[in-house]
């Protein structure tokens, strides 16, 4: 460290020491922290000391060690229990909110801390923040008085991502410090803010990772050869719990409910990835539909933190150049979405508490890449990190806690500004909905599948968006809409959020700038719900009744001589119905027909009258329509049984499979979750009719060979010491993958009459490993960039059962991969759906190089011996968003033995007849390794 920086740090430390001179400091803490901190510049005068208290239990008094001790992580139960100890010791200064349970039943809590005077007025502040959040309830003068007498809530979330282990540890020490330290800084924070914590936002994953760390990682000191984490964090999703736009995980839903009750103006996510501390600035691409005030607030905080920590002599603190403000789907973005402010850190972490040599980066920038060039000095990185560094958990705690205290320092210096901005953004949101088109979105009544409308409505209501139901018909420039249609007016506090979720993302600001997550999320397109944007201001005067819930109401007539016909309205609930009647013989109509005046679509079920007692309540619950069936059905039919279904997962990439598991569990779909062990054991056809290999990994090779066979065995199974391991599958050693032996067993399964279904990246496996002929797989060209846009797909074989419930020639689908498939002309009838390609086919979001997609296969149906392989280039189940595509996968499963309908023969528009198949060799690169 340079002399000037040392002098400045010493001066600052003396000033802080003088402020707290009356307190006794913990000498053991100071000694151990110096020992665990690997370089003197990796600590600040804000955290190099800790007071001794006779009334508040310190982490060491409770756990036996100070925070940051090497080789030790604390469980979710221990962390929550520690905060409950603090609340018991200082009930006038700490409040615990039990906001719900995790998937596996662990407590989900929020901790609130401040001065005793503020905590005594906490409920009053809560009411005041609700008034600021809805300016329709306040006059400007009333708002000014509220702002002058209210303390903002600054909310910190920790350990959303389970491998990012430091935040949970740091918050325990920070909580103790806020209760015990009597410095000017801490007094100011306690006087001017309510500091709230989510101590462990993903409790299930925290415990699983802690067990895995102590079993498999605690002795790993080489960051270049360190094994990965456990196969699972939470029950379903891994890293995507910070991409869960629709709050599928209960912990996220509970946090959202807390947010809408308490309205914290600032939510600050604590993550770990890049060195040494990145602080979020809301860089481009930015969502222009959010209030511009937000984009001034974010760098205000991040630049202050960067300058302060740099002043303390701490290298590697930077902003900009990593996470943008385009996608609204990050969990903490609930704050920005509701006129608050999302903040975020990425602190360097080792994936545990082991001190190890870390290799930062090679210092080279790559065009469009993120978090590269980390050794280069720039305006947003004035003091770069080191190329190699010995890094410890205590370093991590020092950086993160110093950053948080600095953020709280700034917030406590300007509490009224934070509240005024919160109020002004809320007011601006209402005024924006009155001043500029669009003014509303309408969901017209009369759509065939109300279950997907219910999905959209439930999502909007859950996020606080107001919806009205038209009391009478409405006529605007865009058309006429009947009574009962749903109307989302944008002149409401969360009108900006409604617009963000419902509009087409056709305003991506710069196609040469990467986005951190998906470029498109248009809810109507992804759910296949007709939602119309209204630019006629007269819509704001339309009379509506508030919608507080949306219930499905199906109708069931009495049985006819042929039983019942259940009309296929495109709903996934039709598949649910099949699964809820497993012992009932059901047939499906292969072509449309009529029953009296009723048009019956292909895909409709014919159910015997004997099932009436069970059937009728389900039809009503699921929003379906059952009519009396005639004695003779004027259409060909086939039996649609309940297939014996297996869902294959690698051990090293369970997340995308987890989203399919979540959908199947929500829709009550029976399946077995299988891994390499079950595949390699063979005899698959005797057990299953359908095997699904969902999108996972990043290449065919990564799916087949999975976790590399190097290093020590990595068991994933429970024992007396590590009880949380072995959930959702068990293995003596997760390394090795199914290998060629597993591929051979899958081939036998198909040849013996089974149906293999692959989606997304997994569809490269049949081509790359010789399971299909005449299909080439290759990567798009260098200029191609498609971060999850919504594109048009064209049905070539609309009569195939995969498309039951789909009535249009084209449909919106989410682009799932950069892999492009091609089929030789002799086999073109196997292509059931294709991408028209070109810029005009991009319905929402960004696809650079869209001409490369022209006429590329989207679904390929390959007969093989007695069975078949169905390859989706799309990913029908993407998170909990693409529910409009879900039915294609369910159709393929339920009609597994009736998928022989092919497309008309035609020549391939782009692939020469003598072209050799090009297989993906796995060289396109691994995952992005992102934090956040």
């Amino acid at each position: 460290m340079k002399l000037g920086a040392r002098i400045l740090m010493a001066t600052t430390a003396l000033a802080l020491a003088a402020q707290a001179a009356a307190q006794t400091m913990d000498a053991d803490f100071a000694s151990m922290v110096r020992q665990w901190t690997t370089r003197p510049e990796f600590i600040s005068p804000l955290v190099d000391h800790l007071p001794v208290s006779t009334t508040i239990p310190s982490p060491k008094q409770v756990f036996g060690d100070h925070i940051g001790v090497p080789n030790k992580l604390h469980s979710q139960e221990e962390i929550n229990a520690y905060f409950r100890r603090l609340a018991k010791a200082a009930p006038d200064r700490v409040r615990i909110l039990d906001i719900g349970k995790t998937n596996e039943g662990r407590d989900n809590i929020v901790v609130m801390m401040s001065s005793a005077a503020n905590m005594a007025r906490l409920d009053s502040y809560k009411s005041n923040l609700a008034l600021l959040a809805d300016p329709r309830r306040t006059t400007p003068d009333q708002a000014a008085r509220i702002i002058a007498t209210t303390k903002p809530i600054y909310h910190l979330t920790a350990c959303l991502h389970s491998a990012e282990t430091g935040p949970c540890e740091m918050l325990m020490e920070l909580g103790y410090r806020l209760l015990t330290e009597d410095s000017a800084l801490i007094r100011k924070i306690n006087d001017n803010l309510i500091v709230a914590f989510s101590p462990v936002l993903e409790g299930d994953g925290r415990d699983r990772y802690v067990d895995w760390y102590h079993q498999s990682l605690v002795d790993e000191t080489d960051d270049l050869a360190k094994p990965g984490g456990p196969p699972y964090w939470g029950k379903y999703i891994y890293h995507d719990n910070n991409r869960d736009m629709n709050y599928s995980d209960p912990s996220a839903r509970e946090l959202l409910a807390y947010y809408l009750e308490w309205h914290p103006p600032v939510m600050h996510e604590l993550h770990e990835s890049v060195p040494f501390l990145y602080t979020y600035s809301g860089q481009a691409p930015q969502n222009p539909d959010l209030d511009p005030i937000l984009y001034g607030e974010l760098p205000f905080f991040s630049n202050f933190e960067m300058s302060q920590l740099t002043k303390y002599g701490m290298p590697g603190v930077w902003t900009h150049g990593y996470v943008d403000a385009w996608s609204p789907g990050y969990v903490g973005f609930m704050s920005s979405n509701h006129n608050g402010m999302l903040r975020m850190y990425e602190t360097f972490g080792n994936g545990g508490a082991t001190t190890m040599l870390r290799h930062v980066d090679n210092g080279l920038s790559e065009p469009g890449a993120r978090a590269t060039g980390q050794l280069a000095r720039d305006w947003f990185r004035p003091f770069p990190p080191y190329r190699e560094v010995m890094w410890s958990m205590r370093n991590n705690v020092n950086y993160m806690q110093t950053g948080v205290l600095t953020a709280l320092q700034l917030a406590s210096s300007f509490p009224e500004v934070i509240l005024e901005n919160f109020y002004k953004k809320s007011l601006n949101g209402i005024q924006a909905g009155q001043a500029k088109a669009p003014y509303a979105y309408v969901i017209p009544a009369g759509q065939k599948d109300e279950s997907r409308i219910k999905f959209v409505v439930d999502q909007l209501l859950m996020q606080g968006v107001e919806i009205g139901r038209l009391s009478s018909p409405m006529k605007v420039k865009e058309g006429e809409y009947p009574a009962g249609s749903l109307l989302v007016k944008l002149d409401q506090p969360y009108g900006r959020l409604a617009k963000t979720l419902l509009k087409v993302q056709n305003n991506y600001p710069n196609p040469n700038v990467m986005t951190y997550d998906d470029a498109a999320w248009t809810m109507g397109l992804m759910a296949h719900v007709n939602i119309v944007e209204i630019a006629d201001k007269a819509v704001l005067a339309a009379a509506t009744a508030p919608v507080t819930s949306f219930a499905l109401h199906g109708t069931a007539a009495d049985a006819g001589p042929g039983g019942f016909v259940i009309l296929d309205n495109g709903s996934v609930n039709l598949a649910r119905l099949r699964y809820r009647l497993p012992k009932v013989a059901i047939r499906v109509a292969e072509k449309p027909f009529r029953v009296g005046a009723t048009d019956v679509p292909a895909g409709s079920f014919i159910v015997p009258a004997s099932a009436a007692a069970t059937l009728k309540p389900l039809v009503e619950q699921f929003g379906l329509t059952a009519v009396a069936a005639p004695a003779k059905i004027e259409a060909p039919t086939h039996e649609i049984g309940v297939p014996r279904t297996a869902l294959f997962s690698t051990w090293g990439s369970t997340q995308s499979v987890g989203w399919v598991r979540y959908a199947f569990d929500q829709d009550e779909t029976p399946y077995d979750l299988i891994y390499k062990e079950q595949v390699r054991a063979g005899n698959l056809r005797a057990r299953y009719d359908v095997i699904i290999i969902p999108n996972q990994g990043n290449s065919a090779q990564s799916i087949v060979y999975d976790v590399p066979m190097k290093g020590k065995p990595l068991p994933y199974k429970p024992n007396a010491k590590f009880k949380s391991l072995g959930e959702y599958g068990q293995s003596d050693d997760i390394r090795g993958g199914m290998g060629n032996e597993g591929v051979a067993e899958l081939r036998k399964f198909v040849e013996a009459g089974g149906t293999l279904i692959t989606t997304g990246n997994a569809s490269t496996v049949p081509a790359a490993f010789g399971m299909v002929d005449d299909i080439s797989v290759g990567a798009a060209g260098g200029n191609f960039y498609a971060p999850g846009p919504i594109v048009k797909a064209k049905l070539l074989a609309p009569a195939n059962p995969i498309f039951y419930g789909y009535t249009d020639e084209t449909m919106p689908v989410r682009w799932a991969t950069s892999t492009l498939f091609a089929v030789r002309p002799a086999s073109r009838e196997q292509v059931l759906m294709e991408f028209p390609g070109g810029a005009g086919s991009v319905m929402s979001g960004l696809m650079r190089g869209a001409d490369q997609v022209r006429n590329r296969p989207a679904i390929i149906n390959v007969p093989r011996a007695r069975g078949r392989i169905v390859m989706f280039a799309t990913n029908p189940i993407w998170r909990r968003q693409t529910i409009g595509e879900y039915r294609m996968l369910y159709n393929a499963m339920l009609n597994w033995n009736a998928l022989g309908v092919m497309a008309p023969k035609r020549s391939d528009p782009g692939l020469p007849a003598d072209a050799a198949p090009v297989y993906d060799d796995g060289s396109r690169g691994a995952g992005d390794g992102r934090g956040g």
Side-chain angles (χ1 to χ4, degrees):
M1 187 186 299
K2 294 183 178 179
L3 179 61
R6 289 180 182 276
I7 293 172
L8 177 60
M9 281 189 63
T11 303
T12 308
L14 287 172
L16 289 168
Q19 292 169 352
Q23 289 189 278
T24 300
M25 294 297 164
D26 188 332
D28 182 68
F29 174 88
S31 173
M32 299 311 298
V33 163
R34 282 196 301 271
Q35 178 180 324
W36 299 336
T37 301
T38 61
R39 294 185 63 86
E41 63 266 36
F42 292 165
I43 197 168
S44 78
L46 304 187
V47 299
D48 63 358
H49 60 281
L50 199 67
V52 173
S53 173
T54 58
T55 58
I56 307 297
S58 71
K60 183 170 184 179
Q61 288 173 315
V62 173
F63 300 121
D65 292 292
H66 301 292
I67 297 299
V69 60
N71 305 334
K72 183 178 180 181
L73 295 175
H74 297 97
S75 71
Q76 185 255 12
E77 183 179 7
E78 290 174 318
I79 295 166
N80 282 1
Y82 178 71
F83 281 105
R84 294 190 191 278
R85 289 277 299 269
L86 294 184
K88 184 177 181 180
D92 60 335
R93 304 225 12 228
V94 183
R95 183 187 293 190
I96 305 288
L97 305 178
D98 284 278
I99 64 172
K101 298 285 187 181
T102 68
N103 264 311
E104 296 174 6
R106 294 174 174 86
D107 290 344
N108 188 9
I109 69 171
V110 166
V111 182
M112 291 182 154
M113 291 185 174
S114 189
S115 68
N118 284 338
M119 294 303 290
R121 298 194 62 199
L122 185 58
D123 291 328
S124 174
Y125 295 156
K126 173 185 175 182
S127 298
N128 287 347
L129 287 168
L131 291 172
L132 296 179
D134 188 353
R136 296 171 301 185
R137 301 168 57 192
T138 59
T139 66
D141 288 344
Q142 290 171 331
R145 288 194 292 272
I146 290 171
I147 289 167
T149 58
T150 302
K151 308 301 181 184
I153 299 172
Y154 194 110
H155 188 102
L156 298 150
T157 66
C159 297
L160 174 65
H161 290 151
S162 304
E164 299 165 15
T165 55
C168 293
E169 306 288 334
M170 184 278 290
L171 283 185
M172 290 191 285
E173 183 173 296
L174 177 64
Y176 176 81
R177 187 181 301 279
L178 291 175
L179 292 177
T180 60
E181 184 170 317
D182 189 28
S183 65
L185 171 61
I186 301 301
R187 285 196 301 271
K188 189 173 186 179
I189 291 170
N190 284 325
D191 287 345
N192 291 333
L193 299 174
I194 308 297
V195 181
F197 305 147
S198 290
V200 187
L201 195 49
E202 166 51 302
D204 301 337
R206 173 67 180 190
D207 283 0
R208 197 139 30 245
Y209 193 92
V210 168
D211 278 353
W212 181 265
Y213 168 75
H214 288 120
Q215 172 193 273
S216 299
L217 301 179
V218 68
D219 297 324
E220 296 290 335
T221 58
D222 183 355
D223 73 335
L224 300 181
K226 178 185 167 190
Y232 291 93
W233 292 348
K235 181 175 182 178
Y236 295 108
I237 48 178
Y238 216 74
H239 193 276
D240 259 6
N241 59 4
N242 202 27
R243 308 291 187 272
D244 185 8
M245 185 173 293
N246 292 326
Y247 301 95
S248 305
D249 186 82
S251 296
R253 287 197 302 275
E254 291 153 7
L255 185 67
L256 175 64
Y258 152 81
Y259 178 88
L260 292 174
E261 180 181 356
W262 287 86
H263 303 97
V266 185
M267 293 194 76
H268 189 155
E269 290 188 352
L270 301 175
H271 290 281
E272 292 180 358
S273 63
V274 292
F276 290 144
L277 188 147
Y278 160 81
T279 171
Y280 175 63
S281 66
Q283 71 176 61
Q286 295 175 337
N287 179 357
D289 293 316
L290 294 178
D291 196 295
I293 293 173
L294 173 68
Y295 299 121
E297 292 175 306
L298 291 170
F300 173 58
F301 271 88
S302 63
N303 285 322
F304 180 73
E305 291 157 344
M306 182 172 64
S307 64
Q308 286 291 98
L309 271 68
T310 300
K311 178 180 72 178
Y312 298 142
M314 303 175 80
V317 180
W318 58 292
T319 186
H320 195 67
Y322 192 43
V323 182
D324 57 71
W326 178 253
S327 170
Y330 312 114
V331 168
F333 219 87
M334 68 176 68
S335 185
S336 294
N337 286 340
H338 293 89
N339 304 314
M341 175 179 18
L342 164 70
R343 307 210 56 244
M344 180 173 59
Y345 288 165
E346 299 282 356
T347 309
F348 209 32
N350 292 347
T354 306
T355 301
M356 64 177 65
L357 179 66
R358 298 297 305 277
H359 302 80
V360 170
D361 111 337
N362 61 11
L364 300 177
S365 293
E366 300 173 14
R370 294 182 177 275
T372 57
Q374 294 177 51
L375 305 179
R377 180 173 177 173
D378 212 320
W379 65 266
F380 55 84
R381 191 188 293 110
F383 190 2
Y386 307 143
R387 185 183 301 276
E388 295 182 352
V389 61
M390 190 65 70
W391 195 255
S392 67
M393 171 62 82
R394 188 62 218 188
N395 295 353
N396 173 284
V397 169
N398 291 340
Y399 267 79
M400 197 182 321
Q401 189 174 179
T402 300
V404 167
L405 287 169
T406 302
L408 296 176
Q409 176 186 1
L410 185 62
S412 64
S413 298
F414 298 99
E416 293 188 13
V417 172
I418 290 173
L419 291 175
E420 185 178 20
N421 287 357
F422 179 55
Y423 169 74
K424 190 66 167 66
K425 286 182 288 186
S426 301
L427 181 62
N428 289 350
I430 296 171
Q431 294 173 342
Q434 298 167 340
K436 185 178 179 181
Y439 299 102
Y441 289 85
V442 63
I443 305 175
Q447 300 186 47
K448 289 184 178 180
D449 177 17
E450 289 203 334
S451 70
R452 283 176 279 155
I453 294 176
K454 175 177 170 56
F455 175 84
V456 171
V457 170
D458 287 350
Q459 296 301 324
L460 294 174
L461 291 176
M462 179 174 60
Q463 300 193 46
V465 173
E466 297 170 0
I467 304 173
R469 188 182 299 276
L470 286 176
S471 305
S472 58
M474 178 183 73
K475 184 176 182 180
V476 289
K477 293 177 181 177
E478 287 76 11
E480 296 185 31
Y481 300 96
S485 298
L486 302 177
L487 191 62
V488 182
K489 299 179 183 180
L490 300 188
D491 60 339
Q492 58 171 297
Y494 304 148
R496 292 186 188 273
L497 171 59
K499 181 182 178 184
T500 294
L501 295 176
L502 299 177
K503 72 170 288 184
V504 171
Q505 280 75 58
N506 57 2
N507 58 340
Y508 194 85
N510 185 343
N512 295 314
V513 175
M514 295 176 67
T515 181
Y516 200 68
D517 196 53
D518 281 357
W521 51 84
T522 307
M523 193 173 286
L525 291 178
M526 298 186 97
H528 291 195
V529 172
N530 181 26
I531 302 177
V532 183
E533 186 174 277
I534 305 299
D536 186 343
K537 193 170 184 178
V539 72
L540 296 179
T544 61
V547 173
T548 58
S549 63
F550 190 99
L552 297 178
H553 299 287
T555 60
D558 292 333
F564 299 90
V565 174
I566 316 300
L567 305 184
D568 188 349
N569 61 1
S571 174
V572 168
N573 284 345
L574 195 67
R576 292 181 69 189
L577 182 72
R578 168 67 279 191
Y579 292 125
R580 289 287 289 272
L581 301 171
K583 296 182 179 179
V584 177
I586 297 178
R587 301 190 69 80
V588 62
E590 296 177 354
K591 292 183 179 181
F593 64 99
R594 290 179 66 85
V595 174
T598 302
D599 291 318
V600 179
S604 298
F605 288 179
I606 296 92
V607 183
S610 58
T614 307
L615 176 70
K616 283 189 171 185
L618 291 175
V619 166
E620 293 169 1
Q621 174 189 343
F622 292 160
L624 300 170
T625 300
V627 299
K632 182 180 180 182
I633 301 298
E634 299 295 334
T637 65
H638 63 260
E639 184 178 350
I640 184 167
V642 175
R644 301 170 301 163
T645 303
L647 194 63
F648 171 79
S649 178
T650 54
W651 283 112
S653 183
T654 62
Q655 177 166 274
S656 291
V657 183
W659 282 113
V660 181
R661 290 173 49 229
Y662 180 85
F664 283 6
D665 289 350
Q666 294 294 306
D667 297 330
E668 303 168 285
T669 304
Y671 67 96
D672 288 344
L673 184 61
I674 63 173
Y675 302 86
K676 60 169 184 168
E677 289 82 0
Q678 290 77 26
V679 173
R680 295 176 69 173
N683 200 29
L684 296 171
R685 185 66 187 95
R687 289 181 287 153
Y688 302 114
D689 304 308
V690 176
I691 296 177
I692 306 168
I693 307 180
N695 179 71
Q696 55 196 293
N698 53 66
S699 69
Q701 282 66 28
S702 70
I703 295 171
V704 171
Y705 301 123
D706 199 15
V707 181
M709 281 295 294
K710 62 181 182 180
K712 62 191 178 188
L714 298 172
Y716 181 69
K717 55 186 182 181
N719 57 51
K721 189 174 182 182
F722 305 122
K723 297 179 181 179
S724 71
L725 302 184
E727 290 287 347
Y728 319 116
Q730 297 182 14
S731 177
D732 292 329
D733 186 0
I734 66 171
R735 300 173 305 159
M738 74 166 92
N740 294 339
E741 178 184 347
V743 172
E745 294 299 335
L746 290 174
R747 185 181 292 110
K748 291 178 187 176
F749 165 78
V750 172
E751 291 174 348
T755 294
L756 177 67
I757 302 173
T758 60
T759 71
N761 288 337
S763 289
T764 62
V765 171
F769 284 86
M771 299 176 70
V772 294
D773 301 320
D774 298 333
I775 298 175
S776 66
V777 180
N783 187 51
F784 187 81
Y785 179 55
I790 302 168
V791 300
K792 188 179 297 183
K794 181 179 180 180
L795 279 60
L796 304 181
N800 190 285
I802 288 175
F803 304 121
Y804 288 158
Y806 296 91
T807 58
D808 296 330
E809 183 181 310
T810 63
M811 72 170 74
V813 298
R814 180 187 176 274
W815 182 261
T817 176
S818 59
T819 300
L820 301 180
F821 293 82
V823 176
R824 290 186 179 180
S827 301
R828 282 290 293 176
E829 74 277 5
Q830 295 176 356
V831 180
L832 306 184
M833 185 169 80
E834 70 180 9
F835 301 110
S841 73
V842 181
M843 303 178 74
S844 186
L846 171 68
M847 176 178 275
R848 197 172 64 211
D851 284 344
Q852 297 187 54
V853 177
R854 287 191 187 279
N855 303 312
R856 292 288 187 167
I859 302 176
I860 309 171
N861 180 17
V862 184
R864 191 79 179 184
R866 293 164 55 195
R868 71 181 56 250
I869 300 173
V870 179
M871 303 162 61
F872 285 81
T874 61
N875 184 12
I877 296 180
W878 167 252
R879 299 175 179 163
R880 189 62 172 169
Q881 292 177 248
T882 54
I883 65 164
E885 299 181 53
Y886 279 22
R887 262 295 295 275
M888 287 189 285
L889 182 59
Y890 284 99
N891 286 342
M893 295 158 55
L894 289 171
N895 298 278
W896 65 276
N897 58 352
L899 298 176
V901 179
M902 296 296 186
K905 285 185 175 291
R906 63 195 182 106
S907 61
D908 190 302
L911 192 68
D914 59 350
V918 179
Y919 297 132
D920 176 7
D921 62 1
S923 64
R924 288 190 290 114
D928 58 19
R930 303 182 290 191

